[in-house]
Amino acid sequence: PVTSGAITVNSGAATKLIITGTGTQTAGGSQSITITAKDASGNTATGYTGVKSITFSGANASSSPATNPTVASTNFGTATSVSFSNGVATASLSLYHVESAVVAATDGSITAGGSDRLSVAVSAGSFSKLAVSLTSPQVSGTSFSGTNSLTALDAYGNTVTNFDASSNNITVSTSLSGAITGLSGTTKLSGAGDFSSGVASVSSLIYTGTAGTGTFTFTPATGTAVTSSNVTISAGSASKFIITGTGTQTAGASQNITITAKDASGNTATGYTGAKSITFSGANASSSPATNPTVASTNFGTATSVTFSNGVATVSMSLYKVESAVVVATDGSVTTSGSDRLSVTVSPAAFSKLALSLAGPQINAVAFTGTNTLTALDAYGNTV
């Protein structure tokens, strides 16, 4: 056998890139990564030196605002100049989207693949703002229906899963004129359990007030508020009737009265529609002849079918007795009370007949003694 003198074996040409760095990163943060060129035997390819055009991939842009991942301030997917010395380069990596990124690099002929790539678990940054989604329409005085959610976000739109409303209360307000209730702090989200994994359901929210279209704003004690898109608030279910008409009427005459179904906030209950069984009261029968007051030709005290359209009905009312009538309507659960009733002063009709009352006995040729009266009456026995 024979042994040679010392021979220096240099690395071969670069056949792959290896990326090393930290396996965890916060969205919006940066870290320094190392890109090493290796030959086929895993030696650092020291001949891979100078400025190389490297394109990075394997991470996604954030959503809000859309912010691309970068290396050396150049977006992923776009070639950037990276300076290698003896097969090694370092550069700054910035990631913005919460994900399990697997960062790869290529110069067009050699690349980082498989375990040579850098796996980075990107976590959300600190709480910065809110996102809201509300279903429309909703009903006044009732908990919101459908899917209604509020999401805690970092500056790049990633969900902040550990957000706690008990340490950062969120106040809810609206452009509408009514009141907000139903939340853990009445008008606030203030409970530790309001958010689960960064998302709160706000379907317990109740708006009570004037129907219409408006927005809802959610304002954290610390952070940026968010305003919803327009939400249409419809009237709630009928809780009372209001009767309107003329405050004076002649006995035996008729007038059209309007019955309006209202919700608890005073909105016309448009859902109160169709034929309803309504009973009227508050007026009395005339005496001579006995003639009952009527609505739609049905006596007071007897249920009559009244057709409502979008919460409103109009019917004919006839009164016969001179009095101060206070007209009430009820369907058994919804009724009229207080100033919502219709007060009508009923006056006598034109003279029609007489009523006579003479005391007896009397004495011939002597003025009648006792009570002796003659009364002018209308057709229903009311004194004219």
Side-chain angles (χ1 to χ4, degrees):
V2 65
T3 300
S4 72
I7 297 173
T8 298
V9 179
N10 295 320
S11 59
T15 61
K16 64 181 179 180
L17 298 173
I18 296 177
I19 307 174
T20 55
T22 303
T24 58
Q25 193 165 333
T26 300
S30 298
Q31 65 162 300
S32 181
I33 60 173
T34 300
I35 308 101
T36 305
K38 297 276 188 175
D39 67 9
S41 299
N43 302 299
T44 299
T46 55
Y48 196 83
T49 294
V51 177
K52 306 294 183 180
S53 184
I54 307 294
T55 301
F56 292 86
S57 62
N60 295 294
S62 65
S63 60
S64 175
T67 307
N68 288 304
T70 63
V71 169
S73 301
T74 300
N75 291 346
F76 272 41
T78 302
T80 184
S81 293
V82 177
S83 182
F84 283 77
S85 176
N86 296 318
V88 180
T90 58
S92 178
L93 168 73
S94 298
L95 301 177
Y96 300 92
H97 182 64
V98 170
E99 62 181 332
S100 294
V102 182
V103 180
T106 182
D107 69 358
S109 60
I110 61 173
T111 189
S115 61
D116 296 336
R117 300 171 297 177
L118 175 63
S119 294
V120 184
V122 185
S123 57
S126 58
F127 171 73
S128 173
K129 58 189 178 182
L130 295 165
V132 65
S133 176
L134 299 182
T135 301
S136 179
Q138 299 293 342
V139 177
S140 176
T142 303
S143 295
F144 273 26
S145 61
T147 302
N148 305 279
S149 63
L150 188 67
T151 306
L153 304 176
D154 66 10
Y156 301 99
N158 301 297
T159 301
V160 180
T161 57
N162 63 352
F163 182 81
D164 185 349
S166 67
S167 58
N168 192 351
N169 291 180
I170 298 171
T171 302
V172 186
S173 57
T174 179
S175 63
L176 297 166
S177 60
I180 290 172
T181 57
L183 302 175
S184 59
T186 305
T187 62
K188 295 180 179 181
L189 292 165
S190 59
D194 284 340
F195 281 77
S196 175
S197 298
V199 180
S201 170
V202 288
S203 290
S204 62
L205 188 155
I206 300 171
Y207 166 84
T208 304
T210 304
T213 298
T215 58
F216 290 80
T217 298
F218 297 77
T219 305
T222 302
T224 303
V226 65
T227 298
S228 72
S229 55
N230 278 332
V231 177
T232 298
I233 304 295
S234 303
S237 57
S239 63
K240 65 179 179 180
F241 289 132
I242 295 177
I243 306 176
T244 55
T246 303
T248 58
Q249 192 166 335
T250 301
S254 299
Q255 66 159 302
N256 282 333
I257 61 171
T258 299
I259 307 102
T260 303
K262 297 277 190 176
D263 69 7
S265 298
N267 302 300
T268 298
T270 54
Y272 196 85
T273 293
K276 306 293 182 180
S277 184
I278 307 296
T279 301
F280 293 85
S281 60
N284 295 294
S286 63
S287 59
S288 177
T291 308
N292 286 305
T294 63
V295 168
S297 301
T298 300
N299 291 347
F300 273 41
T302 301
T304 184
S305 181
V306 176
T307 299
F308 284 77
S309 176
N310 294 319
V312 180
T314 301
V315 287
S316 176
M317 177 177 73
S318 300
L319 302 178
Y320 299 93
K321 178 178 173 61
V322 169
E323 63 180 334
S324 294
V326 182
V327 181
V328 175
T330 183
D331 69 359
S333 58
V334 182
T335 191
T336 314
S337 62
S339 60
D340 296 335
R341 301 172 295 179
L342 175 62
S343 295
V344 183
T345 300
V346 185
S347 57
F351 170 74
S352 171
K353 58 189 179 182
L354 296 168
L356 177 64
S357 175
L358 298 181
Q362 298 293 341
I363 298 172
N364 183 44
V366 176
F368 277 27
T369 60
T371 302
N372 304 279
T373 60
L374 186 64
T375 306
L377 305 176
D378 64 11
Y380 304 100
N382 299 298
T383 300
V384 179

